[in-house]
Coordinates of all heavy atoms in Angstrom, one line a residue:
M176 N -90.2 -17.4 21.8 CA -89.2 -18.3 22.3 C -88.6 -17.8 23.6 O -88.1 -16.6 23.7 CB -88.1 -18.6 21.3 CG -87.3 -19.9 21.5 SD -86.2 -20.2 20.2 CE -84.7 -19.5 20.8
D177 N -88.5 -18.7 24.7 CA -87.9 -18.2 25.9 C -86.3 -18.1 25.7 O -85.7 -18.7 24.9 CB -88.1 -19.3 27.0 CG -89.5 -19.4 27.4 OD1 -90.2 -18.4 27.3 OD2 -90.0 -20.4 27.8
T178 N -85.8 -17.2 26.5 CA -84.3 -16.9 26.4 C -83.6 -18.1 27.1 O -84.1 -18.6 28.2 CB -83.9 -15.7 27.2 OG1 -84.6 -14.6 26.7 CG2 -82.5 -15.4 27.1
E179 N -82.7 -18.7 26.4 CA -81.9 -19.8 27.0 C -80.9 -19.2 28.0 O -80.5 -18.1 27.9 CB -81.1 -20.5 25.9 CG -82.0 -21.1 24.9 CD -81.1 -21.7 23.7 OE1 -80.4 -21.0 23.1 OE2 -81.2 -22.9 23.6
T180 N -80.7 -20.0 29.0 CA -79.8 -19.5 30.1 C -78.8 -20.6 30.4 O -79.3 -21.8 30.7 CB -80.6 -19.1 31.3 OG1 -81.6 -18.1 31.0 CG2 -79.7 -18.5 32.4
A181 N -77.6 -20.3 30.5 CA -76.6 -21.3 30.9 C -76.5 -21.2 32.4 O -76.8 -20.3 33.1 CB -75.2 -20.8 30.3
D182 N -75.9 -22.4 32.9 CA -75.6 -22.4 34.4 C -74.3 -21.7 34.7 O -73.4 -21.8 33.9 CB -75.5 -23.9 34.8 CG -76.8 -24.7 34.8 OD1 -77.8 -23.9 35.1 OD2 -76.8 -25.9 34.5
V183 N -74.3 -20.9 35.7 CA -73.1 -20.2 36.1 C -73.1 -20.1 37.6 O -74.1 -20.1 38.3 CB -73.1 -18.9 35.4 CG1 -74.2 -18.0 36.0 CG2 -71.7 -18.2 35.6
A184 N -71.9 -20.1 38.2 CA -71.8 -20.1 39.7 C -71.0 -18.9 40.1 O -70.0 -18.5 39.6 CB -71.0 -21.4 40.2
G185 N -71.6 -18.2 41.1 CA -70.8 -17.1 41.8 C -70.5 -16.0 40.9 O -69.4 -15.4 41.1
H186 N -71.4 -15.6 39.9 CA -71.1 -14.5 39.1 C -69.8 -14.6 38.3 O -69.1 -13.5 37.9 CB -71.1 -13.1 39.9 CG -72.4 -12.9 40.6 ND1 -73.1 -11.7 40.4 CD2 -73.1 -13.6 41.5 CE1 -74.2 -11.7 41.2 NE2 -74.2 -12.9 41.8
D187 N -69.3 -15.8 38.1 CA -68.0 -16.0 37.5 C -68.2 -16.6 36.1 O -68.6 -17.8 36.0 CB -67.2 -16.9 38.4 CG -65.7 -17.1 37.9 OD1 -65.5 -16.7 36.8 OD2 -65.0 -17.8 38.6
V188 N -67.8 -15.8 35.1 CA -68.0 -16.2 33.7 C -67.2 -17.5 33.4 O -67.6 -18.3 32.5 CB -67.6 -15.1 32.7 CG1 -68.5 -13.9 32.9 CG2 -66.1 -14.9 32.7
T189 N -66.2 -17.8 34.1 CA -65.4 -19.0 33.8 C -66.0 -20.4 34.4 O -65.6 -21.4 34.1 CB -63.9 -18.9 34.4 OG1 -64.1 -18.9 35.9 CG2 -63.2 -17.7 34.0
T190 N -67.1 -20.1 35.0 CA -67.8 -21.3 35.6 C -69.1 -21.6 34.7 O -69.8 -22.5 35.0 CB -68.4 -21.1 37.0 OG1 -69.4 -20.1 37.1 CG2 -67.2 -20.7 37.9
I191 N -69.2 -21.0 33.5 CA -70.4 -21.3 32.8 C -70.4 -22.7 32.3 O -69.4 -23.2 31.9 CB -70.3 -20.3 31.4 CG1 -70.7 -18.9 31.9 CG2 -71.3 -20.8 30.4 CD1 -70.6 -17.9 30.6
T192 N -71.6 -23.3 32.4 CA -71.9 -24.5 31.7 C -72.9 -24.1 30.5 O -74.0 -23.8 30.9 CB -72.5 -25.6 32.5 OG1 -71.5 -25.9 33.5 CG2 -72.7 -26.9 31.7
C193 N -72.4 -24.1 29.3 CA -73.2 -23.6 28.2 C -74.5 -24.5 28.1 O -74.5 -25.6 28.5 CB -72.4 -23.7 26.9 SG -73.2 -23.0 25.5
V194 N -75.5 -23.9 27.5 CA -76.7 -24.6 27.2 C -76.4 -25.9 26.5 O -77.1 -26.9 26.7 CB -77.6 -23.7 26.3 CG1 -78.9 -24.5 25.9 CG2 -78.0 -22.5 27.1
C195 N -75.4 -25.9 25.7 CA -75.0 -27.2 24.9 C -74.2 -28.2 25.8 O -73.9 -29.3 25.3 CB -74.2 -26.9 23.7 SG -72.5 -26.4 23.9
G196 N -73.8 -27.8 27.0 CA -73.1 -28.7 27.9 C -71.6 -28.4 27.9 O -70.8 -29.0 28.7
N197 N -71.1 -27.5 27.1 CA -69.7 -27.2 27.1 C -69.2 -26.3 28.2 O -70.0 -25.5 28.8 CB -69.3 -26.4 25.8 CG -67.9 -26.2 25.7 OD1 -67.0 -26.9 26.2 ND2 -67.5 -25.0 25.1
T198 N -68.0 -26.6 28.8 CA -67.4 -25.8 29.9 C -66.0 -25.4 29.5 O -65.5 -25.9 28.5 CB -67.4 -26.6 31.2 OG1 -66.5 -27.7 30.9 CG2 -68.8 -27.1 31.5
V199 N -65.5 -24.5 30.4 CA -64.0 -24.1 30.2 C -63.1 -25.3 30.2 O -62.2 -25.4 29.3 CB -63.6 -23.2 31.4 CG1 -62.1 -23.1 31.4 CG2 -64.2 -21.8 31.2
S200 N -63.4 -26.4 30.9 CA -62.5 -27.5 30.9 C -62.8 -28.5 30.0 O -62.0 -29.5 29.7 CB -62.5 -28.1 32.4 OG -63.8 -28.4 32.8
K201 N -63.9 -28.4 29.3 CA -64.3 -29.4 28.2 C -63.7 -28.9 26.9 O -62.5 -29.1 26.7 CB -65.8 -29.5 28.2 CG -66.2 -30.8 27.5 CD -67.8 -30.9 27.7 CE -68.3 -32.0 26.7 NZ -69.6 -31.7 26.3
D202 N -64.5 -28.1 26.1 CA -64.0 -27.6 24.8 C -63.5 -26.2 25.0 O -63.0 -25.6 24.0 CB -65.1 -27.7 23.7 CG -65.4 -29.1 23.4 OD1 -64.5 -30.0 23.5 OD2 -66.6 -29.3 23.0
G203 N -63.6 -25.6 26.1 CA -63.2 -24.3 26.4 C -64.2 -23.2 26.0 O -65.1 -23.5 25.3
L204 N -64.0 -22.0 26.6 CA -64.8 -20.8 26.3 C -63.8 -19.8 25.9 O -62.8 -19.7 26.4 CB -65.7 -20.5 27.5 CG -66.7 -21.5 27.9 CD1 -67.3 -21.2 29.3 CD2 -67.9 -21.7 27.0
I205 N -64.2 -18.8 25.0 CA -63.3 -17.9 24.5 C -63.9 -16.4 24.7 O -65.1 -16.2 24.5 CB -63.2 -18.1 23.0 CG1 -62.6 -19.5 22.7 CG2 -62.3 -17.0 22.4 CD1 -62.5 -19.8 21.2
Q206 N -63.0 -15.6 25.1 CA -63.5 -14.2 25.3 C -63.6 -13.5 24.0 O -62.8 -13.7 23.1 CB -62.4 -13.4 26.2 CG -62.4 -13.7 27.6 CD -61.4 -13.0 28.4 OE1 -60.3 -12.9 28.0 NE2 -61.9 -12.3 29.4
A207 N -64.7 -12.9 23.8 CA -65.1 -12.3 22.5 C -65.5 -10.9 22.6 O -65.8 -10.4 23.8 CB -66.2 -13.2 21.8
N208 N -65.8 -10.2 21.4 CA -66.3 -8.9 21.5 C -67.8 -8.9 21.3 O -68.4 -10.0 21.2 CB -65.5 -8.0 20.5 CG -65.9 -8.4 19.0 OD1 -66.6 -9.2 18.8 ND2 -65.1 -7.7 18.1
A209 N -68.4 -7.7 21.1 CA -69.8 -7.6 21.0 C -70.4 -8.2 19.7 O -71.6 -8.4 19.5 CB -70.3 -6.1 21.1
Q210 N -69.5 -8.6 18.7 CA -70.0 -9.3 17.5 C -69.7 -10.8 17.7 O -70.0 -11.6 16.8 CB -69.1 -8.8 16.3 CG -69.6 -7.5 15.8 CD -69.1 -6.3 16.7 OE1 -67.9 -6.2 16.9 NE2 -70.0 -5.4 17.1
G211 N -69.1 -11.3 18.9 CA -68.9 -12.6 19.0 C -67.6 -13.1 18.4 O -67.3 -14.3 18.4
I212 N -66.7 -12.1 18.0 CA -65.4 -12.5 17.4 C -64.4 -12.5 18.5 O -64.2 -11.6 19.3 CB -65.0 -11.4 16.4 CG1 -66.1 -11.3 15.2 CG2 -63.5 -11.7 15.9 CD1 -65.8 -10.2 14.3
P213 N -63.7 -13.7 18.7 CA -62.7 -13.8 19.7 C -61.7 -12.6 19.7 O -61.2 -12.2 18.7 CB -61.9 -15.2 19.3 CG -63.0 -15.9 18.6 CD -63.8 -14.9 17.9
V214 N -61.4 -12.2 20.9 CA -60.5 -11.0 21.1 C -59.1 -11.5 21.4 O -58.8 -12.6 21.9 CB -60.9 -10.1 22.2 CG1 -62.3 -9.4 21.8 CG2 -61.0 -10.7 23.5
H215 N -58.1 -10.6 21.0 CA -56.8 -10.9 21.3 C -56.3 -10.3 22.7 O -56.6 -9.2 22.9 CB -55.9 -10.3 20.2 CG -54.4 -10.5 20.5 ND1 -53.9 -11.7 20.3 CD2 -53.4 -9.6 20.6 CE1 -52.6 -11.7 20.5 NE2 -52.2 -10.4 20.6
S216 N -55.8 -11.2 23.6 CA -55.5 -10.7 24.9 C -54.0 -10.6 25.2 O -53.6 -10.2 26.2 CB -56.2 -11.6 25.9 OG -55.7 -12.9 25.8
G217 N -53.2 -11.0 24.3 CA -51.7 -10.9 24.5 C -51.1 -9.6 24.3 O -51.9 -8.6 24.0
D218 N -49.8 -9.4 24.4 CA -49.1 -8.1 24.3 C -48.8 -7.8 22.8 O -48.9 -6.7 22.4 CB -47.9 -8.1 25.1 CG -48.2 -8.2 26.6 OD1 -49.2 -7.7 27.0 OD2 -47.3 -8.8 27.3
S219 N -48.5 -8.8 22.1 CA -48.1 -8.6 20.7 C -49.3 -8.1 19.9 O -50.4 -8.2 20.3 CB -47.5 -9.9 20.1 OG -48.5 -10.9 20.3
P220 N -49.1 -7.5 18.7 CA -50.2 -7.0 17.9 C -51.1 -8.1 17.6 O -50.7 -9.3 17.4 CB -49.4 -6.5 16.6 CG -48.0 -6.3 17.0 CD -47.7 -7.2 18.1
A221 N -52.4 -7.8 17.6 CA -53.4 -8.7 17.3 C -53.3 -9.3 15.9 O -53.1 -8.6 15.0 CB -54.8 -8.1 17.5
P222 N -53.3 -10.7 15.8 CA -53.4 -11.2 14.4 C -54.7 -10.7 13.7 O -55.7 -10.4 14.4 CB -53.5 -12.7 14.7 CG -53.0 -12.9 16.1 CD -53.4 -11.6 16.8
P223 N -54.6 -10.6 12.4 CA -55.7 -9.9 11.7 C -57.0 -10.8 11.9 O -58.1 -10.2 11.8 CB -55.3 -10.0 10.2 CG -54.1 -10.9 10.2 CD -53.5 -10.9 11.5
E224 N -56.9 -12.0 12.2 CA -58.2 -12.8 12.4 C -58.9 -12.5 13.7 O -60.1 -12.7 13.8 CB -57.9 -14.3 12.4 CG -57.4 -14.8 11.0 CD -55.9 -14.6 10.9 OE1 -55.3 -14.0 11.7 OE2 -55.4 -15.1 9.8
L225 N -58.1 -12.0 14.7 CA -58.8 -11.7 16.0 C -59.1 -10.3 16.1 O -58.6 -9.4 15.5 CB -57.7 -12.1 17.1 CG -57.3 -13.6 17.2 CD1 -56.5 -13.7 18.4 CD2 -58.6 -14.5 17.3
A226 N -60.2 -10.1 17.0 CA -60.6 -8.7 17.3 C -59.7 -8.1 18.3 O -59.1 -8.8 19.1 CB -62.0 -8.6 17.8
E227 N -59.6 -6.7 18.3 CA -58.8 -6.0 19.3 C -59.6 -6.1 20.6 O -60.8 -6.2 20.7 CB -58.7 -4.5 19.0 CG -57.9 -4.3 17.7 CD -56.4 -4.3 17.9 OE1 -56.0 -4.5 19.1 OE2 -55.6 -4.3 16.9
W228 N -58.8 -6.1 21.8 CA -59.4 -6.0 23.1 C -60.3 -4.8 23.2 O -59.8 -3.7 22.8 CB -58.3 -6.0 24.2 CG -58.8 -6.2 25.5 CD1 -59.1 -5.3 26.4 CD2 -59.0 -7.5 26.2 NE1 -59.6 -5.9 27.6 CE2 -59.5 -7.2 27.4 CE3 -58.8 -8.8 25.7 CZ2 -59.8 -8.2 28.4 CZ3 -59.1 -9.8 26.7 CH2 -59.6 -9.5 27.9
P229 N -61.6 -5.0 23.5 CA -62.4 -3.8 23.5 C -62.0 -2.7 24.5 O -61.8 -3.0 25.6 CB -63.8 -4.3 23.9 CG -63.7 -5.8 24.2 CD -62.2 -6.2 24.0
A230 N -62.0 -1.4 24.0 CA -61.4 -0.4 24.8 C -62.4 -0.2 26.0 O -61.9 0.2 27.1 CB -61.4 0.9 23.9
D231 N -63.6 -0.5 25.9 CA -64.6 -0.3 27.0 C -64.7 -1.5 27.9 O -65.5 -1.6 28.8 CB -65.9 0.2 26.5 CG -66.5 -0.9 25.5 OD1 -65.9 -1.9 25.3 OD2 -67.6 -0.6 24.9
E232 N -63.8 -2.5 27.6 CA -63.9 -3.7 28.4 C -65.1 -4.4 28.5 O -65.5 -5.2 29.4 CB -63.4 -3.4 29.9 CG -62.1 -2.8 30.0 CD -60.9 -3.7 30.1 OE1 -61.1 -4.8 30.7 OE2 -59.8 -3.5 29.5
D233 N -66.0 -4.2 27.4 CA -67.3 -4.9 27.3 C -67.0 -6.2 26.6 O -67.1 -6.2 25.4 CB -68.3 -4.0 26.5 CG -69.7 -4.5 26.6 OD1 -70.0 -5.4 27.5 OD2 -70.5 -4.0 25.8
L234 N -66.9 -7.2 27.4 CA -66.5 -8.5 26.9 C -67.6 -9.5 27.0 O -68.5 -9.4 27.7 CB -65.3 -9.1 27.8 CG -64.0 -8.4 27.5 CD1 -63.1 -8.9 28.6 CD2 -63.4 -8.8 26.1
Y235 N -67.5 -10.4 26.0 CA -68.5 -11.5 25.9 C -67.8 -12.8 25.9 O -66.6 -12.9 25.8 CB -69.3 -11.4 24.6 CG -70.2 -10.1 24.5 CD1 -69.6 -8.9 24.4 CD2 -71.5 -10.2 24.6 CE1 -70.4 -7.8 24.3 CE2 -72.3 -9.1 24.5 CZ -71.8 -7.9 24.4 OH -72.6 -6.8 24.4
T236 N -68.5 -13.8 26.2 CA -67.9 -15.2 26.3 C -68.6 -16.1 25.2 O -69.8 -16.3 25.3 CB -68.1 -15.8 27.7 OG1 -67.4 -15.0 28.6 CG2 -67.5 -17.2 27.7
L237 N -67.7 -16.5 24.3 CA -68.2 -17.3 23.2 C -68.0 -18.9 23.5 O -66.9 -19.3 23.9 CB -67.4 -16.9 22.0 CG -67.5 -17.9 20.8 CD1 -68.9 -17.9 20.1 CD2 -66.4 -17.6 19.7
C238 N -69.1 -19.6 23.3 CA -68.9 -21.0 23.3 C -68.6 -21.6 21.9 O -69.3 -21.4 20.9 CB -70.2 -21.7 23.8 SG -70.2 -23.5 23.6
P239 N -67.4 -22.0 21.7 CA -66.9 -22.4 20.4 C -67.5 -23.7 19.9 O -67.3 -24.0 18.8 CB -65.4 -22.6 20.5 CG -65.2 -23.0 21.9 CD -66.2 -22.2 22.7
S240 N -68.2 -24.4 20.8 CA -68.9 -25.6 20.3 C -70.2 -25.3 19.5 O -70.6 -25.9 18.6 CB -69.2 -26.6 21.5 OG -68.1 -26.9 22.1
C241 N -71.0 -24.3 20.1 CA -72.3 -24.2 19.6 C -72.6 -22.7 19.1 O -73.5 -22.4 18.4 CB -73.4 -24.5 20.6 SG -73.4 -23.4 22.0
G242 N -71.6 -21.8 19.5 CA -71.7 -20.4 18.9 C -72.6 -19.5 19.8 O -72.8 -18.4 19.5
R243 N -73.1 -20.0 21.0 CA -73.9 -19.2 21.9 C -72.8 -18.2 22.5 O -71.7 -18.5 22.9 CB -74.6 -19.9 22.9 CG -75.8 -20.7 22.4 CD -76.5 -21.5 23.5 NE -77.7 -22.1 23.0 CZ -77.7 -23.3 22.5 NH1 -76.6 -24.0 22.2 NH2 -78.8 -23.9 22.1
V244 N -73.3 -16.9 22.7 CA -72.5 -15.9 23.3 C -73.1 -15.3 24.5 O -74.3 -15.1 24.4 CB -72.2 -14.8 22.2 CG1 -71.3 -13.8 22.8 CG2 -71.6 -15.4 21.0
Y245 N -72.3 -15.1 25.5 CA -72.9 -14.6 26.8 C -72.2 -13.3 27.1 O -71.0 -13.1 26.8 CB -72.7 -15.6 28.0 CG -73.2 -16.9 27.7 CD1 -72.4 -17.9 27.1 CD2 -74.5 -17.2 28.0 CE1 -73.0 -19.2 26.8 CE2 -75.1 -18.4 27.7 CZ -74.4 -19.4 27.1 OH -74.8 -20.7 26.9
R246 N -72.9 -12.3 27.7 CA -72.3 -11.0 27.9 C -71.8 -11.0 29.4 O -72.4 -11.2 30.4 CB -73.3 -9.9 27.8 CG -72.7 -8.5 27.9 CD -73.8 -7.5 27.7 NE -73.0 -6.2 27.6 CZ -73.7 -5.0 27.5 NH1 -75.0 -5.0 27.5 NH2 -73.0 -3.9 27.5
D247 N -70.5 -10.8 29.6 CA -69.8 -11.0 30.8 C -70.4 -10.0 31.9 O -70.5 -10.4 33.0 CB -68.3 -10.6 30.7 CG -67.5 -11.8 30.0 OD1 -68.2 -12.6 29.4 OD2 -66.3 -11.7 30.0
A248 N -70.7 -8.8 31.5 CA -71.2 -7.7 32.4 C -72.6 -8.2 33.0 O -72.8 -8.0 34.2 CB -71.4 -6.4 31.7
V249 N -73.4 -9.0 32.3 CA -74.7 -9.4 32.8 C -74.4 -10.5 33.8 O -75.0 -10.6 34.9 CB -75.5 -10.0 31.6 CG1 -76.7 -10.7 32.2 CG2 -75.9 -8.8 30.7
I250 N -73.4 -11.4 33.5 CA -73.2 -12.6 34.4 C -72.6 -11.9 35.8 O -73.0 -12.3 36.8 CB -72.2 -13.5 33.7 CG1 -72.8 -14.2 32.6 CG2 -71.7 -14.5 34.8 CD1 -71.9 -14.8 31.5
E251 N -71.6 -11.0 35.6 CA -71.0 -10.5 36.8 C -72.0 -9.7 37.6 O -71.9 -9.6 38.9 CB -69.8 -9.6 36.4 CG -68.6 -10.5 36.0 CD -67.6 -9.7 35.0 OE1 -67.8 -8.5 34.9 OE2 -66.8 -10.4 34.5
E252 N -73.0 -9.1 37.0 CA -74.0 -8.2 37.7 C -75.0 -9.1 38.3 O -75.4 -8.9 39.5 CB -74.6 -7.3 36.7 CG -74.5 -5.8 37.3 CD -75.0 -4.9 36.2 OE1 -76.3 -4.7 36.1 OE2 -74.2 -4.4 35.3
T253 N -75.6 -10.0 37.6 CA -76.8 -10.7 37.9 C -76.6 -12.2 38.4 O -77.4 -12.7 39.1 CB -77.8 -10.8 36.8 OG1 -77.2 -11.6 35.8 CG2 -78.1 -9.4 36.2
G254 N -75.4 -12.7 38.2 CA -75.2 -14.1 38.4 C -76.0 -15.1 37.6 O -76.0 -16.2 37.9
T255 N -76.6 -14.6 36.6 CA -77.3 -15.5 35.6 C -76.6 -15.3 34.2 O -75.9 -14.3 34.0 CB -78.8 -15.1 35.4 OG1 -78.9 -13.9 35.0 CG2 -79.4 -15.2 36.8
A256 N -76.8 -16.3 33.3 CA -76.1 -16.2 32.1 C -77.1 -16.4 30.9 O -77.0 -17.5 30.3 CB -74.9 -17.2 32.0
P257 N -77.9 -15.4 30.6 CA -78.8 -15.6 29.4 C -77.9 -15.5 28.2 O -76.9 -14.8 28.1 CB -79.7 -14.4 29.6 CG -78.9 -13.4 30.4 CD -78.0 -14.2 31.3
V258 N -78.4 -16.3 27.2 CA -77.7 -16.2 25.9 C -78.0 -14.8 25.3 O -79.1 -14.4 25.1 CB -78.2 -17.3 25.0 CG1 -77.6 -17.2 23.6 CG2 -77.9 -18.7 25.6
A259 N -76.8 -14.1 25.0 CA -77.0 -12.8 24.4 C -77.3 -12.9 22.9 O -78.2 -12.1 22.5 CB -75.7 -12.0 24.6
F260 N -76.6 -13.7 22.2 CA -76.9 -13.9 20.8 C -76.1 -15.1 20.4 O -75.4 -15.8 21.2 CB -76.5 -12.7 19.9 CG -75.1 -12.3 20.0 CD1 -74.2 -12.7 19.1 CD2 -74.7 -11.4 21.1 CE1 -72.8 -12.3 19.2 CE2 -73.3 -11.0 21.1 CZ -72.4 -11.4 20.2
R261 N -76.3 -15.5 19.1 CA -75.6 -16.7 18.7 C -74.9 -16.4 17.3 O -75.4 -15.7 16.5 CB -76.6 -17.8 18.4 CG -76.1 -19.1 18.6 CD -77.2 -20.2 18.7 NE -76.6 -21.5 18.5 CZ -77.2 -22.7 18.7 NH1 -78.5 -22.7 18.9 NH2 -76.5 -23.8 18.4
V262 N -73.7 -17.0 17.1 CA -73.0 -16.8 15.9 C -72.8 -18.2 15.3 O -73.0 -19.3 16.0 CB -71.6 -16.2 16.2 CG1 -71.8 -14.7 16.7 CG2 -70.7 -17.0 17.1
D263 N -72.4 -18.2 14.0 CA -72.1 -19.4 13.3 C -70.6 -19.8 13.4 O -69.8 -19.1 12.8 CB -72.5 -19.3 11.9 CG -72.5 -20.7 11.2 OD1 -71.8 -21.6 11.7 OD2 -73.1 -20.9 10.1
V264 N -70.2 -20.7 14.3 CA -68.8 -21.0 14.5 C -68.1 -21.7 13.4 O -67.0 -21.9 13.3 CB -68.6 -21.7 15.8 CG1 -69.0 -20.9 17.0 CG2 -69.4 -23.1 15.8
K265 N -68.9 -22.1 12.4 CA -68.4 -22.8 11.2 C -68.0 -21.9 10.1 O -67.4 -22.3 9.1 CB -69.4 -23.9 10.7 CG -69.8 -24.9 11.7 CD -68.9 -26.1 11.7 CE -69.6 -27.3 12.5 NZ -69.7 -26.9 14.0
E266 N -68.4 -20.6 10.2 CA -68.3 -19.7 9.1 C -67.2 -18.6 9.5 O -67.1 -18.3 10.7 CB -69.6 -19.0 8.8 CG -70.7 -19.8 8.4 CD -70.5 -20.1 6.9 OE1 -69.9 -19.3 6.1 OE2 -71.1 -21.2 6.5
A267 N -66.5 -18.2 8.5 CA -65.6 -17.0 8.7 C -66.4 -15.8 9.0 O -67.6 -15.7 8.5 CB -64.8 -16.8 7.4
P268 N -66.0 -14.8 9.8 CA -64.6 -14.8 10.4 C -64.5 -15.5 11.7 O -63.4 -15.6 12.3 CB -64.4 -13.2 10.5 CG -65.8 -12.8 10.9 CD -66.7 -13.6 10.1
I269 N -65.7 -16.0 12.3 CA -65.6 -16.6 13.6 C -64.8 -17.8 13.6 O -63.9 -18.1 14.4 CB -67.1 -16.9 14.1 CG1 -68.0 -15.7 13.9 CG2 -67.0 -17.4 15.5 CD1 -67.9 -14.7 15.0
A270 N -65.0 -18.7 12.6 CA -64.3 -20.0 12.5 C -62.7 -19.7 12.5 O -62.0 -20.4 13.2 CB -64.7 -20.8 11.2
E271 N -62.3 -18.8 11.6 CA -60.9 -18.5 11.5 C -60.4 -17.9 12.9 O -59.2 -18.3 13.3 CB -60.7 -17.4 10.4 CG -60.8 -17.9 9.1 CD -59.6 -18.9 8.8 OE1 -58.5 -18.4 8.7 OE2 -59.9 -20.1 8.7
A272 N -61.1 -17.1 13.4 CA -60.7 -16.5 14.7 C -60.5 -17.5 15.8 O -59.6 -17.5 16.6 CB -61.6 -15.4 15.2
I273 N -61.5 -18.5 15.8 CA -61.4 -19.5 16.8 C -60.1 -20.4 16.6 O -59.4 -20.7 17.5 CB -62.6 -20.5 16.8 CG1 -63.8 -19.6 17.3 CG2 -62.4 -21.7 17.6 CD1 -65.2 -20.4 17.1
R274 N -59.8 -20.7 15.4 CA -58.6 -21.5 15.1 C -57.3 -20.7 15.5 O -56.5 -21.3 16.2 CB -58.6 -21.7 13.5 CG -57.5 -22.7 13.1 CD -57.6 -22.9 11.5 NE -57.4 -21.6 10.8 CZ -56.3 -21.0 10.6 NH1 -55.2 -21.5 11.1 NH2 -56.4 -19.9 10.0
V275 N -57.3 -19.4 15.2 CA -56.1 -18.7 15.5 C -56.0 -18.6 17.1 O -54.9 -18.7 17.7 CB -56.1 -17.3 14.9 CG1 -55.1 -16.3 15.4 CG2 -56.0 -17.4 13.4
H276 N -57.1 -18.3 17.7 CA -57.2 -18.3 19.2 C -56.5 -19.5 19.8 O -55.6 -19.4 20.7 CB -58.6 -18.1 19.7 CG -58.7 -18.2 21.2 ND1 -58.5 -17.2 22.0 CD2 -59.0 -19.3 21.9 CE1 -58.7 -17.6 23.3 NE2 -58.9 -18.9 23.2
W277 N -56.9 -20.7 19.4 CA -56.3 -21.9 20.0 C -54.9 -22.1 19.6 O -54.1 -22.6 20.4 CB -57.2 -23.1 19.5 CG -58.6 -23.2 20.1 CD1 -59.7 -23.4 19.4 CD2 -59.1 -23.0 21.4 NE1 -60.9 -23.3 20.2 CE2 -60.4 -23.1 21.5 CE3 -58.3 -22.8 22.7 CZ2 -61.2 -23.0 22.6 CZ3 -59.1 -22.6 23.8 CH2 -60.5 -22.8 23.8
N278 N -54.5 -21.7 18.4 CA -53.1 -21.8 18.0 C -52.2 -21.0 18.9 O -51.1 -21.4 19.3 CB -52.9 -21.3 16.5 CG -53.3 -22.4 15.6 OD1 -53.4 -23.5 15.9 ND2 -53.4 -22.1 14.3
L279 N -52.7 -19.8 19.2 CA -52.0 -18.9 20.1 C -51.9 -19.3 21.6 O -50.9 -19.1 22.2 CB -52.6 -17.5 20.0 CG -52.4 -16.7 18.8 CD1 -53.1 -15.4 18.9 CD2 -50.9 -16.5 18.4
S280 N -52.9 -20.0 22.0 CA -52.9 -20.3 23.4 C -52.4 -21.8 23.7 O -52.5 -22.2 24.9 CB -54.4 -20.2 23.9 OG -55.2 -21.1 23.2
T281 N -51.9 -22.4 22.8 CA -51.3 -23.7 23.1 C -49.8 -23.7 22.9 O -49.3 -22.8 22.3 CB -52.0 -24.9 22.2 OG1 -51.9 -24.4 20.9 CG2 -53.3 -25.1 22.7
Ligands
ZN499 ZN1 -72.3 -24.1 23.8

């Protein structure tokens, strides 16, 4: 199977148009860790559902619509956005983390 690749402009992860058609301004994209679990970016202690901000800054971008995950470092380096892996956004712990993420950011 060929690797799926999202559209991205200017090496900027926030410009991803996911393979499923989702964008930052549509359903949103979420910063995640290497397991695809949304990370906590605020100052307060991370809620248990969210992952800690990775110490090595190795971040991924999760599409909460379809569960495709892109690696930020690859996008910033190459200007392309191959799908790194895919998670099930309907199942815990990802589903819970997505819910908490949106609760915190609204
Ligand atoms: Zn998607």
Side-chain angles (χ1 to χ4, degrees):
M176 200 175 93
D177 291 335
T178 303
E179 296 175 302
T180 305
D182 289 328
V183 65
H186 300 236
D187 182 353
V188 299
T189 65
T190 67
I191 287 175
T192 300
C193 185
V194 175
C195 75
N197 182 31
T198 63
V199 164
S200 54
K201 201 173 167 214
D202 293 331
L204 297 165
I205 301 175
Q206 286 183 307
N208 69 4
Q210 284 76 49
I212 299 172
V214 295
H215 181 63
S216 57
D218 293 328
S219 51
E224 292 85 355
L225 296 184
E227 297 282 352
W228 192 265
D231 56 6
E232 302 272 322
D233 190 13
L234 287 167
Y235 292 72
T236 296
L237 166 69
C238 171
S240 298
C241 67
R243 286 180 178 85
V244 181
Y245 304 92
R246 190 176 186 188
D247 288 14
V249 171
I250 294 160
E251 285 157 10
E252 234 176 86
T253 67
T255 63
V258 176
F260 58 94
R261 206 170 167 173
V262 297
D263 190 343
V264 292
K265 302 272 191 296
E266 296 282 335
I269 309 279
E271 283 295 289
I273 290 171
R274 187 179 57 77
V275 169
H276 170 86
W277 292 132
N278 278 347
L279 287 176
S280 61
T281 49

